[in-house]
Amino acid sequence: RLGLLALAGLGVSYLAAYERARGRSLGYRFAEAPSFRATGGGLVAAALLTGWVEPLLWAFLALNATAAVARGASVRAQDRRGARARTVGVR
């Protein structure tokens, strides 16, 4: 169960990072606190240091799933408004 939870957290983390990178390359803007990525790393470190692996992996999964959904919603809203930043060579 822990292995699947860790893989799910990692997969969602990669999805959230991909959405951020791809969205920025297409000219969309995201408002993100600088400490957001540090929080995810801190949760994993705390899980390993304290032994509370399962609850903190659930928190890591929830944090990254929330980020992925929020970024997807942000891109969709910006696309509907036509608020994408104008970049050279991107349509």
Side-chain angles (χ1 to χ4, degrees):
R1 187 170 72 197
L2 284 179
L4 289 176
L5 183 58
L7 285 174
L10 185 63
V12 172
S13 174
Y14 283 146
L15 174 65
Y18 173 77
E19 282 181 331
R20 181 181 61 244
R22 182 69 176 173
R24 285 189 179 156
S25 73
L26 291 174
Y28 295 103
R29 298 173 195 257
F30 300 103
E32 184 176 288
S35 62
F36 176 77
R37 283 188 265 177
T39 303
L43 283 172
V44 173
L48 295 174
L49 291 173
T50 64
W52 297 347
V53 177
E54 189 168 356
L56 291 173
L57 281 178
W58 278 111
F60 179 75
L61 178 62
L63 176 74
N64 285 300
T66 302
V69 169
R71 288 182 186 133
S74 176
V75 166
R76 185 173 183 179
Q78 289 179 54
D79 192 51
R80 283 188 172 177
R81 288 191 318 253
R84 182 167 66 168
R86 300 293 174 212
T87 57
V88 177
V90 176
R91 292 191 128 171

